[in-house]
Amino acid sequence: MTSVVPGTGSGGIPPGARRGPASLPLALVRACRPRQWLKNLLVLAAPAAAGVLSDPRPLLTCAAVFVLFCAAASGTYLLNDVRDIERDRAHERKRHRPIAAGLVPVPLAVAVGITLCVLAPAASLALGEPLLTGVIGGYVLLTLAYTRYLKDVAVCDLVVVAACHVLRAVAGGVAVGVPLTSWFVIVVSLAALLVVVGKREAELRALGEGPANGPVRATLRAYTPTYLSQTRTMASAAMVVTYCLWALEQDGGAQNLFHVGSIVPFIMFVLRYNLLVDRGVGEEPEEIALRDRPLQLILVALTALVGLGIHL
């Protein structure tokens, strides 16, 4: 007998789901999670900080790296959703994901996922930077290891996801030959940890506010709100201190004034993000970036001040 999750049809498929041939390409695109491609803009961070994006060649190179990371990330998302298909079908929100909903056949998802995971590092060879291929390949392997095993290891799951964000930023610098300073790596690493911990904290808060929507990941049960809140505070404080030290140690003159001035919106960004996480809306970080207008305005001010400090 086929088991049916409440609120779904046969095989855990939500009622009314479109399964026609015309809907398959769209469902496959949705399964690739295009909203999360926003994270891949991190490839612009190092070149932007070095002030080289005004040159068309580095800009085009970064655009190519962005596309490669979108392909690699989408491949891993497909394989991850195949592995978690039963758990997703029992989850109130995740059961609507295309693979869990039966809109994308599992064999097709596996085939496309493997193809994208292999194609992204291979295609990066065309850019003529072997180290970039190593970074993208390392990202794919680390993400697949996370999908297969590391997501179920407490603390390790936080570090691995944060490391995947850092690899995106490293790839941008490697692709255009920009040296990565210790300041840059530390700030990006702490920012990545802040986002990942905030996501876990929001998930745990949502779990504590009502009945579970479905099977709960073992690592989520291993955390406590206090532990995650303290870790988020530690990451925030260390990131602010590191950024302030970087800004204050820049060369004198107008450049330094803009860099020092950027400290204010940077701290406001950290405070605003922590406020949103405390409100329980950090479960989908990309949604915060797309929908929270105050945070967007703060980022615009921060980008403008840093940009003026770099280019003047």
Side-chain angles (χ1 to χ4, degrees):
M1 179 179 295
T2 303
S3 61
V4 178
V5 177
T8 65
S10 175
I13 300 173
R18 294 177 57 200
R19 304 192 215 183
S23 66
L24 180 58
L26 180 59
L28 185 58
V29 171
R30 284 180 49 218
C32 290
R33 305 190 200 179
R35 278 181 174 269
Q36 298 205 23
W37 293 347
L38 186 68
K39 301 173 185 176
N40 299 320
L41 289 175
L42 275 171
V43 302
L44 299 173
V52 302
L53 290 183
S54 56
D55 187 337
R57 185 170 181 177
L59 185 60
L60 290 174
T61 299
C62 286
V65 176
F66 172 81
V67 172
L68 291 174
F69 262 96
C70 289
S74 292
T76 61
Y77 293 148
L78 289 169
L79 297 177
N80 177 79
D81 287 355
V82 168
R83 183 178 186 271
D84 290 347
I85 187 169
E86 295 301 328
R87 181 185 297 174
D88 287 351
R89 283 177 174 172
H91 193 280
E92 181 65 25
R93 176 172 52 84
K94 294 180 180 180
R95 67 189 178 93
H96 295 291
R97 287 179 174 176
I99 296 174
L103 300 176
V104 176
V106 168
L108 176 62
V110 172
V112 174
I114 292 175
T115 300
L116 290 175
C117 287
V118 173
L119 182 63
S124 68
L125 291 170
L127 296 178
E129 181 50 69
L131 185 55
L132 174 64
T133 302
V135 173
I136 297 178
Y139 167 84
V140 170
L141 292 176
L142 186 60
T143 308
L144 292 178
Y146 172 83
T147 296
R148 181 67 182 88
Y149 177 71
L150 297 178
K151 67 161 58 178
D152 297 320
V153 182
V155 178
C156 186
D157 69 315
L158 302 178
V159 175
V160 169
V161 177
C164 288
H165 293 328
V166 176
L167 286 176
R168 291 175 168 97
V170 170
V174 169
V176 300
V178 172
L180 301 174
T181 67
S182 57
W183 297 116
F184 177 84
V185 174
I186 293 172
V187 171
V188 170
S189 299
L190 291 170
L193 182 61
L194 171 63
V195 171
V196 175
V197 172
K199 177 179 173 64
R200 289 289 182 271
E201 186 176 348
E203 291 172 342
L204 192 59
R205 287 176 183 271
L207 182 64
E209 291 172 358
N213 291 324
V216 179
R217 190 183 306 170
T219 49
L220 195 58
R221 291 291 192 188
Y223 296 123
T224 65
T226 301
Y227 171 81
L228 292 173
S229 179
Q230 289 176 344
T231 305
R232 179 164 51 86
T233 300
M234 176 196 70
S236 299
M239 183 171 63
V240 168
V241 170
T242 304
Y243 186 86
C244 289
L245 290 174
W246 168 80
L248 292 171
E249 288 191 3
Q250 298 306 299
D251 295 333
Q255 284 184 319
N256 191 46
L257 290 176
F258 287 115
H259 283 133
V260 171
S262 70
I263 292 175
V264 175
F266 186 85
I267 294 176
M268 290 178 65
F269 168 80
V270 175
L271 294 176
R272 177 68 184 177
Y273 186 81
N274 280 302
L275 174 62
L276 294 172
V277 171
D278 273 342
R279 289 177 177 175
V281 295
E283 192 170 351
E284 300 293 342
E286 62 276 6
E287 291 296 322
I288 294 179
L290 290 171
R291 296 186 179 183
D292 189 72
R293 185 57 56 84
L295 196 67
Q296 292 172 350
L297 294 175
I298 292 170
L299 282 173
V300 168
L302 175 62
T303 302
L305 288 170
V306 172
L308 288 170
I310 291 171
H311 292 287
L312 287 184

